[in-house]
């Protein structure tokens, strides 16, 4: 999307507002499937938690993707988007057996990541094929909070417990139809990822009835012009070759599955906010926007550096700004960032706002969550309305103190 298109969205729908460019989602999807073009059966299951708007799910499904879900509610959103249950995989962590049973009833593929539930589910439903999530104990990125494959991570069943898994499978008579790993976000080193894949192949040999091997996700996307990103093309080349060799050895054409979230939607998203106040102190110039970590928490939660452009004055002289929000708490988006000169009333555009941005938004400070707009074939389509005061109070129950106590309020 260009600046004028973004400005037109801010004009039409007000600020703050999230905008997603469908063409970028499509080109990322094509890039991934092209990189793995040599694999006969490839399945991309989009990770719903990155951006879960039903219209976005519909669009991504139309491209050919299934869905990766982590809660019963995400499965229900997928079904509401028209995605058939057979194309939905449920990969929860630490949920109850009851929730897994409900999802299994809906017909989605179950992926289990602990021995206790595996045994309970296998005993009750030996006929329902199950995928197991393995922890290969490989660190994907540098950040231990978003890397979930390391030794003391809560995710997956340790590769050191394969004999235990096999005992459960034999005793229950259940069928394992998939093997899965997800080492977490930000794969920087392809060799590390391939090393984890080797562990998955070794694990797969212990199971005779597999239909797919799921390599999870964690592809790193660039946050600025010279930022590093996962080299998908190289990964495609090397992993495809290795996967095809494994299938020959295994004696069956398995499906290679990925479940990217960030890779498909991060760069497609823009967050637009209006500058309320320019505040000059003795050391800093603050640009304060009509938003905060209630709407975009990644900079405060993960230290993410979202590129910020002043689309109202893109050619202006650059100056240093700290971009902050209007929440009554520290909510810094950027410290001393070079941005073209900002005036009050300008619209700032935050990039990489497609993944884990709206889905992590809250009503903190009793602010409304922003609307979402899909930019599709040159048109701005509203896909979620801005909240209003009713959304803040609809579930609140106002106590009539006179009736229940001695005080009069
Ligand atoms: C979050 C998640 C993903 C998506 O990760 P990205 O970094 O957004 O690609 C995939 N699989 C599982 C199991 C997840 O929890």
């Amino acid at each position: 999307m260009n600046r004028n298109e973004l400005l037109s969205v801010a004009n039409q729908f007000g600020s703050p507002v999230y905008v997603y460019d469908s063409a970028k989602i499509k080109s990322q999807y094509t890039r991934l499937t092209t990189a793995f073009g040599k694999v006969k059966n490839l399945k991309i299951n989009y990770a719903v938690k990155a951006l879960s708007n039903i219209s976005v799910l519909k669009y991504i499904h139309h491209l050919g993707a299934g869905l990766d879900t982590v809660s019963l509610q995400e499965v229900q959103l997928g079904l509401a988007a028209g995605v058939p249950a057979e194309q939905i995989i449920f990969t929860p962590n630490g949920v109850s057996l009851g929730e897994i049973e409900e999802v299994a009833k809906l017909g989605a593929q179950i992926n289990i990541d602990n021995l206790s539930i595996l045994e309970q589910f296998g005993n009750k439903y030996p006929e329902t094929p199950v995928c197991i999530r393995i922890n290969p104990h490989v660190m994907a990125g540098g950040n231990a909070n978003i890397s979930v494959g390391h030794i003391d991570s809560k995710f997956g069943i340790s590769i050191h417990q394969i004999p235990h898994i096999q005992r459960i499978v034999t005793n229950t008579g259940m069928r394992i139809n998939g093997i899965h790993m997800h080492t977490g976000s930000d794969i920087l080193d392809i060799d590390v990822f391939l090393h984890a894949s080797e562990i998955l192949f070794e694990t797969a040999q212990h199971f005779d009835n597999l239909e797919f091997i799921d390599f999870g996700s964690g592809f790193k996307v660039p946050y600025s012009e010279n930022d590093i990103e996962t080299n998908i093309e190289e990964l495609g080349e090397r992993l495809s070759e290795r996967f095809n060799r494994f299938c020959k050895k295994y004696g069956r054409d398995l499906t290679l599955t990925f479940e990217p979230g960030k890779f498909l939607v991060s760069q497609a998203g823009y967050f637009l906010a209006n500058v309320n106040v320019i505040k000059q102190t003795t050391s800093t110039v603050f640009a304060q926007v009509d938003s905060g970590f209630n709407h975009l928490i990644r900079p405060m939660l993960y230290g993410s550096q979202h590129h910020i452009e002043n689309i109202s004055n893109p050619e202006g002289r650059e100056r240093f700004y700290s971009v902050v929000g209007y929440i009554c708490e520290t909510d810094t988006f950027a410290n001393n960032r070079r941005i073209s000169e900002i005036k009050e009333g300008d619209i700032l555009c935050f990039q990489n706002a497609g993944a884990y941005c709206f889905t992590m938004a809250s009503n903190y400070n009793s602010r409304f969550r922003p609307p979402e707009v899909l930019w599709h074939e040159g048109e701005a389509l509203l896909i979620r309305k801005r909240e209003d005061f009713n959304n803040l109070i609809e579930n609140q129950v106002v106590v009539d103190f006179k009736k229940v106590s001695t005080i009069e309020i």
Side-chain angles (χ1 to χ4, degrees), residues 45-50 68-70 91-92 111 133 148 155 180-182 184-186 214 216-220 258-264 355-356:
N45 289 325
Y46 165 64
V48 172
K49 74 178 188 291
D68 173 65
T69 57
V70 296
T91 305
N111 188 2
R133 178 172 185 172
V148 295
F155 297 97
H180 166 276
M181 73 168 184
H182 172 64
S185 265
D186 289 3
D214 188 331
S217 174
F219 306 129
K220 163 110 180 64
F258 276 118
E259 41 190 43
K262 215 186 247 186
F263 181 80
L264 291 181
Y356 307 105

Side-chain angles (χ1 to χ4, degrees), residues 270 358 386:
Y270 302 90
F358 185 89
R386 188 183 305 284

Side-chain angles (χ1 to χ4, degrees), residues 255-288:
T255 298
L256 191 166
T257 309
F258 276 118
E259 41 190 43
K262 215 186 247 186
F263 181 80
L264 291 181
V265 297
S266 175
Q267 294 161 284
Y270 302 90
F271 182 57
L272 308 177
N274 178 72
V275 178
N276 284 340
V277 180
I278 297 288
K279 183 176 192 171
Q280 170 96 55
T281 68
T282 46
S283 59
T284 307
V285 187
F286 290 103
Q288 288 198 273

Side-chain angles (χ1 to χ4, degrees), residues 360-394:
M360 286 189 173
S362 75
N363 291 118
Y364 188 47
N365 276 209
S366 295
R367 297 291 185 179
F368 306 139
R369 274 177 289 196
E372 294 179 288
V373 170
L374 186 68
W375 183 261
H376 182 65
E377 295 176 358
E379 254 190 89
L381 310 171
L382 184 66
I383 57 174
R384 186 191 300 266
K385 295 187 278 188
R386 188 183 305 284
E387 289 182 336
D388 59 23
F389 190 67
N390 190 50
N391 296 121
L392 292 183
I393 59 168
E394 61 191 350

Side-chain angles (χ1 to χ4, degrees), residues 214-322:
D214 188 331
F215 293 87
S217 174
F219 306 129
K220 163 110 180 64
V221 297
Y223 271 69
S224 54
E225 242 170 70
N226 297 315
D227 196 9
I228 30 172
E229 63 176 313
T230 309
N231 187 336
I232 293 292
E233 288 69 27
E234 184 191 343
L235 181 68
E237 191 69 36
R238 292 174 64 188
L239 184 60
S240 301
E241 201 253 331
R242 187 60 193 89
F243 182 79
N244 290 339
R245 245 191 302 139
F246 177 80
C247 289
K248 273 217 184 87
K249 188 168 156 206
Y250 191 76
R252 192 185 308 166
D253 275 326
L254 301 173
T255 298
L256 191 166
T257 309
F258 276 118
E259 41 190 43
K262 215 186 247 186
F263 181 80
L264 291 181
V265 297
S266 175
Q267 294 161 284
Y270 302 90
F271 182 57
L272 308 177
N274 178 72
V275 178
N276 284 340
V277 180
I278 297 288
K279 183 176 192 171
Q280 170 96 55
T281 68
T282 46
S283 59
T284 307
V285 187
F286 290 103
Q288 288 198 273
V289 297
D290 58 352
S291 181
F293 71 62
N294 52 336
H295 298 150
L296 203 175
I297 201 173
R298 294 176 49 76
M300 290 302 290
L301 189 61
Y302 302 121
S304 311
Q305 301 277 319
H306 291 257
H307 182 74
I308 301 171
E309 190 187 1
N310 180 4
I311 56 174
S312 298
N313 183 27
E315 309 300 339
R317 201 168 68 88
E318 286 189 339
R319 295 185 57 186
F320 285 93
Y321 293 95
S322 285

Side-chain angles (χ1 to χ4, degrees), residues 1-9 19 21 270 272 309 311 314 349 351 375:
M1 286 185 76
N2 64 38
R3 288 175 196 123
N4 286 336
E5 290 166 344
L6 289 165
L7 277 174
S8 74
V9 171
V19 195
D21 181 0
Y270 302 90
L272 308 177
E309 190 187 1
I311 56 174
C349 174
Q351 294 186 5
W375 183 261

